[in-house]
Amino acid sequence: MIISALMAVILALNGNTDTTLTLSLCYPDANSQMNNAILANLAPSLPKEGNKSCLKYKIVLSYEISQTVVKVYYKNARVDHTVQFQNFSLRDLMFPVNTTFEIEFFSGSTLIDSKEVAVQVEQSGLFFTYTIPSGKSVSRVKAKISKIELGQAMLERIVARQQLIGEYYTADVQIKLAEQELKKVDPNKIENNEQYNDITRKVLATVERIKAKKFNEKLFLNESDPVKLAPRLNALYDQAIVSKNRLASQTANMGKEYYRLGIVSLEKKDSVNAIQLFNKAIEVEPKMAMPYVTLAAIEANRRNFSKTFELIQFVDKNTTCNDSTKAASKSIIFSILNEMVEDARLSRQQNNFSDALIQIDSCYKICESISFLECPGTVDIERNSIYTSLLEQFINQNTKILQSKNYSEFIIKTDSLYHYQEQNASFFTNRALVFEHLNQSYQLLIKTAEENFSGNPTESLDALMASKRICETYNEVSCNPRVNDLISSVFGNLYESMVDEAMLLFNAQELGGADSLQQKAYEYCQQQKLSISEKHLKLIKLLQENKYIKIIDAVEALHYRGCQSLYMIDSAMRLRSVYNFAPRDNEAKVQKWAAEQCIAQSISDAEKSLIAKNFDQVTTFLNKAENLAKTHQIEFDQPTGARIAEIKGLLEQGICSEIKFSIDVQLNSAEIHLRNYEYPFASEALKKAASIVRKNANCGFTTDDIEDKIKYYQKPVEFQLEWEKVIDDIQLHRFELAATKILELEQRFSDSVLSPYNLQIKTIITFTKEYDYTPFTLGAIEYLAEHGKTEMALDLLYFLYEKEVPEHLTDNAQDKMGRSLAKRDVAKQKDGNPKDIAYQYIRHDEKWFKKMLKSYKSQWKKSIAS
């Protein structure tokens, strides 16, 4: 060991003056192996004195003399230069250092006493107090350092620092590996969320382990940080937190994330993957509208319009529609409607009005099927154009009929035309077309009548009668008073001649012509309110009697078969009754034969219906046959009676067989549902089977076994139906109601009751964790906390913590959790420290539970105060 010249001298310490000592320990140092070992490691970073590397200390010494004691001090001990080891400062390790002082106490020049003092020098301190002997006095003090040892403790500190430096470089590797792992987290692969959550948890755990080493403090990284550990560690933490929060957000909004990824795939023209992602979004969040809308847009692009409409209609009826969803849906539907309108326009221009109307009607049906949709004005415009074109076509056709002088057809068509415009009045762009046509036609008819008044009175009368029909039927046409005078003049001259001509035709056996002509004369008489002449009435009766005779002869000649022959006989007999002429001698015989024919056909039809299993028709036909036999007093022969009896027997068997089949279908359905433990569906099928049996008691079936099964499965049916209500409440975000029902179910049902049905009761804790729907979990925590079920609520809160749900989402739940715990704990240990008690509920991350802690303390104060 080498001590500097300054320290080699004996120091006279003035009590009023501080003396600074510089102490140098140089390498190599043959006198102290321990010092040599330490200095050897530090040599590369030590300043040089000559050819040696030296560790320099500075120490300030002073003393105080009183009448009885002398106090010797050191202060401001420090290393006079930077000390580094593997690029890191060791200044905090250089003290304490073991130092031996030799101290002499003088009175003037006389030595009173001397002491050897071993001191562990730190930064400052009183290192020796000397009691002055009685009768003596001390005026000055001399001191020297006889020995300095860096010591085993310093070596251990340096070795520990070396280990810490090794851990520093290990942390560098760990950060690199964590960075690589974190790069694997892909927000576009939601299916790997659980794996990515594991990665972020491990990365954050790595960050926490490295931070726990406190490299910043222990290695003074603000001065030297060779691998930039501190900023990289902070950056890694920030990245991991961002990933964690993003993954938590994705988990909480999985439907939206799948939808977002589907849109990304669409932008990349990968519609197959996009459709898969949209379907996943729907599976996760069935009431989310936009995936359905986007799928509808894809189907529209594929020209699969029926599927497009189906999806939009589903959106309307079964999802939560906001304004943006409705706007997107309208855009898709309107683009299709515009195409349909264009197709309708092209069809109209090609006079294909049927197809055009089908297209337009389809447009309206689409609009009516979607509540938030109103058809665009283009649909109304095109519909009006189609109807107007149809109206114009109708008018043109009617004008041609009028010009051909087919007045009876003209009257019929005009009536159809008028009704057409009345029924569709709001669809025309010009309704006046019909009224103009009526008036023009009326004027043309009068003109035709006037032109033919003398030369062709028959045609003149037809035109006049048609004109009168027009003006009396339609208010839009004003009647010309001259028409009645003209009709009277023409008809008076024509009536007798028309009847005479019809009689001549009858005598010539031109019965059709005779009937047609007399019908016209008859109609004119009615219109003019004139009496029918005797000759005319006689002709009518002769014509109807002739028709009667021809029907009887045709039936007898077998021109009609089966029941048609009976229908014809009945019509002939009605004619005879109305016109009161004598019956034919063979009428009764022909009628009975026709009835027998109808009976035979009815029995045959009953057999065919039996084969086709149209059992209602079988009964109808058999009743018809029996009623005919009774009405016409026809006795069934033995084969016919046996045939009817056989059909009735087979009918009963067939009906019961079909009923048995229907029962078996329901029973088989029940068995399938029972095998799948779908008890409500099974019960419904059993009830349907029992209902069928009760409605068909005559078949001999009983409901005993079915009723026993319904009764046996009543408990699991009730249980599963109640759980369905719970799920419905959760999906409708009625969380408090759902939680209440779950707790009620725990009381109503037990495993011993449900185990025979392979069912098991689920506690609210078990169900909530399995269902794993964060909004409901939060709602359940709030409900349980409010109702004093603190342990259950706390269990679910820990569940969310372990899932790494972002703490800000749990604020309400934590608030109620904290208050519930505080109310309970105040009652048990009101003299306790709320802070200490509250901290027992905290898991590793105090920051995550800060809201619960705050609410706990607040409620504690309120409860204590009350």
Side-chain angles (χ1 to χ4, degrees), residues 556-739:
E556 191 174 27
L558 305 180
H559 289 173
Y560 304 106
R561 297 291 181 184
C563 290
Q564 189 180 9
S565 61
L566 185 60
Y567 300 150
M568 295 306 296
I569 284 292
D570 288 343
S571 67
M573 292 175 70
R574 281 195 295 274
L575 285 174
R576 176 174 59 75
S577 175
V578 171
Y579 293 100
N580 194 27
F581 43 75
R584 288 284 294 272
D585 294 339
N586 62 344
E587 179 188 282
K589 175 184 175 183
V590 173
Q591 183 188 29
K592 186 173 182 178
W593 177 85
E596 290 172 348
Q597 292 296 305
C598 191
I599 289 171
Q601 179 184 332
S602 297
I603 294 172
S604 176
D605 289 342
E607 288 180 325
K608 292 176 182 176
S609 296
L610 182 64
I611 294 170
K613 296 185 177 182
N614 293 329
F615 300 128
D616 290 340
Q617 290 292 328
V618 174
T619 302
T620 300
F621 287 129
L622 288 179
N623 288 340
K624 182 178 180 180
E626 290 175 339
N627 290 335
L628 285 172
K630 183 177 180 180
T631 301
H632 297 280
Q633 299 179 350
I634 298 172
E635 292 288 337
F636 291 137
D637 57 16
Q638 194 278 331
T640 303
R643 188 179 176 194
I644 292 174
E646 182 184 8
I647 293 172
K648 286 183 177 180
L650 292 173
L651 173 63
E652 187 172 348
Q653 290 180 18
I655 291 172
C656 290
S657 176
E658 286 295 301
I659 292 168
K660 180 65 167 60
F661 177 77
S662 298
I663 295 168
D664 289 343
V665 167
Q666 296 301 329
L667 293 177
N668 289 335
S669 174
E671 287 300 320
I672 293 170
H673 288 306
L674 289 174
R675 285 198 294 272
N676 295 325
Y677 310 118
E678 297 168 343
Y679 295 107
F681 296 114
S683 178
E684 190 65 27
L686 289 170
K687 288 177 181 177
K688 287 180 180 178
S691 176
I692 295 170
V693 171
R694 283 192 288 270
K695 290 177 181 177
N696 299 278
N698 59 314
C699 288
F701 305 127
T702 64
T703 62
D704 294 346
D705 291 343
I706 300 173
E707 296 290 352
D708 288 344
K709 282 189 175 183
I710 292 172
K711 186 175 180 181
Y712 178 73
Y713 291 111
Q714 185 176 352
K715 281 290 182 183
V717 169
E718 291 177 6
F719 177 72
Q720 289 187 333
L721 288 176
E722 289 299 323
W723 271 111
E724 287 179 9
K725 293 178 183 177
V726 169
I727 300 301
D728 289 341
D729 288 334
I730 292 173
Q731 291 177 346
L732 294 171
H733 281 216
R734 298 195 292 247
F735 299 142
E736 183 173 347
L737 186 58

Side-chain angles (χ1 to χ4, degrees), residues 302-320:
R302 292 176 171 178
R303 318 297 294 172
N304 189 356
F305 294 151
S306 61
K307 185 64 175 178
T308 302
F309 300 140
E310 179 185 328
L311 287 165
I312 298 297
Q313 287 162 358
F314 184 88
V315 167
D316 181 30
K317 292 179 176 60
N318 300 287
T319 68
T320 305

